[in-house]
Amino acid sequence: MEFNNSQPIYLQIADLFCENILQKKWIEEGKIPSIRDIAVQLEVNPNTVLRTYNFLQDNDIIYNKRGIGYFVTTDGYLKTQTLKKDQFFNQNLPEFFKTIDMLEISIDDIMNFYTKFKQK
Amino acid sequence: MEFNNSQPIYLQIADLFCENILQKKWIEEGKIPSIRDIAVQLEVNPNTVLRTYNFLQDNDIIYNKRGIGYFVTTDGYLKTQTLKKDQFFNQNLPEFFKTIDMLEISIDDIMNFYTKFKQK
Amino acid sequence: MEFNNSQPIYLQIADLFCENILQKKWIEEGKIPSIRDIAVQLEVNPNTVLRTYNFLQDNDIIYNKRGIGYFVTTDGYLKTQTLKKDQFFNQNLPEFFKTIDMLEISIDDIMNFYTKFKQK
Amino acid sequence: MEFNNSQPIYLQIADLFCENILQKKWIEEGKIPSIRDIAVQLEVNPNTVLRTYNFLQDNDIIYNKRGIGYFVTTDGYLKTQTLKKDQFFNQNLPEFFKTIDMLEISIDDIMNFYTKFKQK
DNA sequence: GTGGTCTAGACCACC
DNA sequence: GTGGTCTAGACCACA
């Protein structure tokens, strides 16, 4: 898998995982793949995957059963949504509005762009 | 001045400068403050400011007269706008749409938030 | 059964067993439950229980009659006490004193806490 | 420096740092040594020290100024005390009491031991 | 100079 | 089999 350069790989992997949870590909209390499996699959170092797992564990999205593996927490879906929404409303959105103001872009422009985006 | 942690300081300063230009506080062919003044004012290492100036110079938004100082280029306003719009439409906006899809946020929610944002 | 995360599960089980012996629930030369029974009851992998049994066997607290099961040794009570006291006076207590010194906790605080603890 | 084997090295280093703060060797808002310096001094890998710093940063005991170094937070002393006290009262102390009950050790025994301990 | 990320690989404890 | 810790060393971005 290819990663872009603007964000650490381990966070890009975290984003992948969040998508999996939000799309219900990974269900709550379900086991997720082992660190090694993910490392092989994404062609990264196991340590990098471990960092992703630690990050998500710190956010109560996954947890560890010793010697067995990692599992999505009972309210993993909600926690994921909260994490992402927080990021979105507190960081992305304010920057977003500031930018469109500064550039004098109208909401209509955005809408048109969105329509095109959805068609793809 | 306080900076956030999600972006390099020198780019946050660049954003400040872009705003000044877009809001016509800094006019084309006008002299802008010296590196040292900015460094003192923003409580930042002069090296960091230098980086900002180099970055903007690379984008033809400012230029240097040796021994005299830095100036906004003749088409600085346009260049700034182009730079920002490029960033916005090619990076921010696609990510933005992807996120609202993933989080199932409706355009209406965004609109409400925008109204609130404008009132502040 | 729930286990905490600061100690291996097999040692936490060993602690349980020690309590049983010290409280005379398990008497010397008496048979103790099979690995399988314990594993089912505590919802733990049988290998983990085996480790507990091996650990206690190494400390001469229990022994095995092949094909029959595990038994508390003749001086199991004493051995258990010795094991625990060693741990306590050589490891726990010194750390304990160091910590209360560092945190400037008085012996009185401890005493109060102990009184509360006993009431529960 | 020598480390024992019962706890990860990076946590043992964290304990060292906590002591420094509690003993006011490191004062609030003061700069602490760089990762590399500590690594050389303690003869461990810089990555290990980084882990310690991350751990303490997560606990709001230290913070990072980019490109400059790590500093004790404004309320670093209090945060450290809280962290340690939490550990002590919620983990160590209950185990402690449980053990002395199980072993039928009297408070007087503890006291005698403590007197000896202080004389050293 | 500072810290942050990543790789490669070893070793260990635990289940 | 699982994850956790640690080392060694490279490379990069930032101040």
Side-chain angles (χ1 to χ4, degrees):
Chain A
M1 160 137 187
E2 302 252 317
F3 297 97
N4 71 55
N5 218 351
S6 62
Q7 220 192 352
I9 292 179
Y10 81 94
L11 288 180
Q12 295 182 48
I13 298 177
D15 274 344
L16 273 183
F17 288 3
C18 285
E19 276 186 64
N20 283 339
I21 293 171
L22 289 177
Q23 294 170 3
K24 304 271 187 192
K25 284 181 193 165
W26 287 359
I27 57 169
E28 288 163 353
E29 293 301 325
K31 187 176 181 305
I32 67 178
S34 77
I35 290 185
R36 283 174 179 110
D37 285 352
I38 295 287
V40 169
Q41 187 191 327
L42 300 184
E43 297 172 350
V44 294
N45 188 290
N47 278 325
T48 305
V49 182
L50 175 59
R51 275 184 94 153
T52 302
Y53 280 47
N54 280 336
F55 172 75
L56 293 176
Q57 189 166 237
D58 286 346
N59 283 284
D60 284 324
I61 290 174
I62 63 177
Y63 68 97
N64 175 260
K65 284 187 196 169
R66 286 185 289 179
I68 301 178
Y70 279 92
F71 297 76
V72 178
T73 53
T74 307
D75 52 357
Y77 182 89
L78 203 64
K79 282 276 166 52
T80 307
Q81 227 180 24
T82 308
L83 178 69
K84 286 294 175 187
K85 283 202 173 170
D86 266 19
Q87 266 180 29
F88 183 73
F89 281 104
N90 293 324
Q91 284 185 32
N92 305 3
L93 212 47
E95 283 175 29
F96 183 81
F97 289 146
K98 193 176 148 206
T99 308
I100 64 177
D101 265 24
M102 204 165 78
L103 294 175
E104 296 176 352
I105 298 171
S106 77
I107 293 285
D108 288 343
D109 291 343
I110 308 284
M111 288 312 217
N112 289 335
F113 202 92
Y114 184 61
T115 317
K116 273 188 233 157
F117 179 83
K118 295 290 284 186
Q119 285 165 357
K120 272 194 296 198
Chain B
M1 160 138 188
E2 301 255 318
F3 297 96
N4 74 55
N5 236 341
S6 62
Q7 219 191 352
I9 292 177
Y10 83 94
L11 287 180
Q12 295 182 50
I13 298 176
D15 272 345
L16 278 182
F17 288 5
C18 287
E19 273 188 72
N20 283 340
I21 292 171
L22 289 175
Q23 294 169 2
K24 305 272 188 190
K25 285 182 193 163
W26 287 359
I27 57 169
E28 289 163 352
E29 293 300 329
K31 187 175 181 303
I32 66 178
S34 76
I35 290 186
R36 228 170 272 172
D37 286 352
I38 295 287
V40 169
Q41 185 194 328
L42 300 184
E43 295 170 359
V44 155
N45 189 302
N47 280 324
T48 306
V49 183
L50 175 59
R51 245 181 130 136
T52 303
Y53 280 54
N54 283 336
F55 173 75
L56 293 176
Q57 199 164 28
D58 288 345
N59 283 282
D60 283 325
I61 289 172
I62 63 178
Y63 69 98
N64 175 259
K65 284 186 195 170
R66 277 198 287 179
I68 301 179
Y70 282 87
F71 296 78
V72 178
T73 53
T74 308
D75 52 358
Y77 182 89
L78 203 65
K79 282 276 167 52
T80 305
Q81 224 179 27
T82 309
L83 177 68
K84 285 293 174 190
K85 283 203 173 172
D86 267 18
Q87 265 181 28
F88 184 72
F89 282 104
N90 293 324
Q91 287 181 32
N92 305 3
L93 213 47
E95 283 175 29
F96 183 80
F97 289 144
K98 192 177 153 204
T99 307
I100 63 175
D101 264 25
M102 203 167 78
L103 294 176
E104 296 176 355
I105 299 171
S106 76
I107 294 284
D108 288 343
D109 291 342
I110 307 283
M111 289 310 212
N112 288 335
F113 201 91
Y114 184 61
T115 316
K116 274 188 232 154
F117 180 82
K118 295 289 285 185
Q119 286 165 356
K120 273 193 295 197
Chain C
M1 159 138 187
E2 301 254 319
F3 298 96
N4 73 55
N5 234 340
S6 61
Q7 221 191 351
I9 292 176
Y10 82 96
L11 287 180
Q12 294 183 50
I13 298 176
D15 273 346
L16 278 181
F17 288 5
C18 287
E19 272 189 73
N20 284 340
I21 292 170
L22 290 175
Q23 293 170 2
K24 306 271 189 192
K25 285 182 192 163
W26 287 0
I27 57 170
E28 289 162 353
E29 293 300 330
K31 186 175 182 304
I32 67 177
S34 75
I35 291 186
R36 228 170 273 172
D37 286 352
I38 295 287
V40 169
Q41 186 193 329
L42 300 184
E43 296 171 359
V44 155
N45 190 302
N47 280 323
T48 305
V49 183
L50 175 59
R51 245 180 131 137
T52 302
Y53 280 51
N54 283 334
F55 173 76
L56 294 176
Q57 199 164 27
D58 288 346
N59 283 283
D60 283 325
I61 290 172
I62 63 177
Y63 69 98
N64 176 259
K65 284 188 194 168
R66 278 199 286 181
I68 300 178
Y70 283 88
F71 296 79
V72 179
T73 54
T74 307
D75 51 359
Y77 183 89
L78 204 65
K79 283 276 169 51
T80 305
Q81 224 178 26
T82 310
L83 177 69
K84 285 293 173 189
K85 283 203 173 170
D86 268 18
Q87 264 181 31
F88 183 73
F89 282 103
N90 293 323
Q91 287 181 31
N92 304 3
L93 214 47
E95 283 175 30
F96 183 81
F97 289 144
K98 191 177 153 206
T99 306
I100 64 175
D101 265 24
M102 203 167 78
L103 294 175
E104 297 176 353
I105 299 171
S106 75
I107 293 285
D108 288 344
D109 291 341
I110 308 283
M111 288 311 212
N112 289 335
F113 201 91
Y114 184 61
T115 317
K116 273 187 231 154
F117 180 82
K118 295 289 287 184
Q119 286 166 357
K120 272 192 297 196
Chain D
M1 159 139 191
E2 301 252 318
F3 297 97
N4 71 56
N5 219 350
S6 62
Q7 219 190 354
I9 292 178
Y10 81 95
L11 288 180
Q12 295 182 51
I13 298 176
D15 275 344
L16 273 184
F17 289 4
C18 285
E19 277 187 62
N20 283 340
I21 293 171
L22 290 176
Q23 294 170 2
K24 304 270 187 194
K25 284 181 193 163
W26 287 358
I27 57 168
E28 288 163 353
E29 293 300 327
K31 188 176 180 305
I32 67 178
S34 78
I35 290 184
R36 282 173 180 111
D37 285 353
I38 295 287
V40 169
Q41 186 192 327
L42 300 183
E43 297 172 350
V44 294
N45 188 289
N47 280 323
T48 304
V49 182
L50 175 59
R51 273 184 96 154
T52 303
Y53 279 48
N54 281 334
F55 172 75
L56 293 176
Q57 189 166 238
D58 286 345
N59 282 286
D60 282 325
I61 290 173
I62 62 177
Y63 68 96
N64 175 260
K65 284 187 196 167
R66 288 184 287 180
I68 300 178
Y70 279 91
F71 298 76
V72 179
T73 53
T74 307
D75 53 356
Y77 182 89
L78 203 65
K79 282 276 164 53
T80 306
Q81 227 180 24
T82 309
L83 178 69
K84 286 293 175 188
K85 284 203 172 170
D86 266 20
Q87 265 180 31
F88 183 72
F89 281 104
N90 294 323
Q91 284 185 31
N92 304 3
L93 214 47
E95 283 175 29
F96 183 81
F97 289 145
K98 195 176 147 204
T99 306
I100 66 176
D101 264 25
M102 204 165 78
L103 294 175
E104 295 176 354
I105 298 171
S106 77
I107 294 285
D108 288 343
D109 291 342
I110 307 284
M111 288 309 216
N112 290 333
F113 202 92
Y114 183 61
T115 317
K116 273 189 233 157
F117 180 83
K118 295 289 286 185
Q119 286 165 357
K120 273 192 295 196

